[in-house]
Amino acid sequence: PTVGQCATTATMTVVVNANTTPTFTQAGPYCVGATPASLPTTSTNGISGTWSPAVISTASAGSTVYTFTPTMGQCATPATMTVVVNANVTPTFTQLGPYCVGGTPATLATTSTNGITGTWSPAAISTASAGSTVYTFTPTVGQCATTATMTVVVNAQTVPAFSQLGPYCVGGTPATLATTSTNGVTGTWSPAVISTASAGSTVYTFTPTAGQCATTATMTVVVNANVTPVFTQLG
């Protein structure tokens, strides 16, 4: 007290608290289009407040800084959280086919050429019938990847067609067996050439060159015996 007053000294203890830094569980990373978690309005160490922006957006890929501002009256500093949103990868695959009906297809890969794992529906390629089938690849959960499709074509088997040769006479000169059918299939014959050395019917088999959707074909060539003309003797 100022001198001259009948008063004793007195004391006051003033407390200054340290500022607390709000702490939070890290959110993300997320994939574009995924449903994000809500930003908590109370930190893991008990500080309440608000965020700016107020909600996490996964509309586009990138990194966004979200700022937490404590409610007034708390000894706390602002805090930030950087949330990452990753772009979705489109799985890529080597195109399979086309195949022939009844052919042995390749196995659909469960890992894409750019490293995405997943499953296919249908799970395996069927060559039971001709047509185009769409196979859909669904990535395993937890990867930022979209579904992908592959259209596999199965072609019908062509039956090679040929103009019928013969019949011939024994010793006659036969035509050459064509190595390309009238409907465009190439291949080879067995036997390779027509023989007219003796009378009878011979089956010639045409085998298409590998890589064509075509079946084998046959041609039966007839060789007739030579007839000796007979006459009634005159005179």
Side-chain angles (χ1 to χ4, degrees):
T2 305
V3 174
Q5 302 173 90
C6 289
T8 62
T9 58
T11 60
M12 180 188 294
T13 301
V14 178
V15 177
V16 179
N17 293 317
N19 283 317
T20 301
T21 301
T23 57
F24 297 90
T25 301
Q26 176 64 48
Y30 297 104
C31 302
V32 169
T35 302
S38 297
L39 289 165
T41 55
T42 301
S43 68
T44 56
N45 54 348
I47 307 300
S48 61
T50 57
W51 288 91
S52 180
V55 293
I56 297 172
S57 171
T58 60
S60 60
S63 297
T64 303
V65 177
Y66 294 81
T67 302
F68 179 80
T69 302
T71 303
M72 290 182 63
Q74 302 171 97
C75 287
T77 60
T80 61
M81 182 189 294
T82 301
V83 178
V84 176
V85 178
N86 294 315
N88 285 315
V89 175
T90 301
T92 56
F93 296 91
T94 301
Q95 175 65 47
L96 300 180
Y99 297 105
C100 303
V101 169
T104 301
T107 302
L108 289 163
T110 54
T111 301
S112 69
T113 55
N114 53 349
I116 305 300
T117 61
T119 56
W120 289 91
S121 180
I125 297 172
S126 171
T127 60
S129 59
S132 298
T133 303
V134 177
Y135 294 82
T136 302
F137 179 81
T138 302
T140 303
V141 174
Q143 301 171 100
C144 286
T146 61
T147 58
T149 61
M150 182 187 296
T151 301
V152 179
V153 176
V154 178
N155 294 315
Q157 295 274 19
T158 300
V159 178
F162 296 92
S163 297
Q164 176 63 48
L165 300 180
Y168 297 104
C169 299
V170 169
T173 302
T176 301
L177 288 164
T179 55
T180 301
S181 69
T182 55
N183 52 351
V185 179
T186 61
T188 57
W189 289 92
S190 179
V193 294
I194 297 172
S195 171
T196 60
S198 59
S201 297
T202 303
V203 176
Y204 295 82
T205 302
F206 179 82
T207 302
T209 304
Q212 302 172 96
C213 285
T215 61
T216 58
T218 61
M219 181 189 296
T220 301
V221 177
V222 176
V223 177
N224 293 315
N226 287 316
V227 176
T228 302
V230 293
F231 297 94
T232 302
Q233 177 62 45
L234 300 179

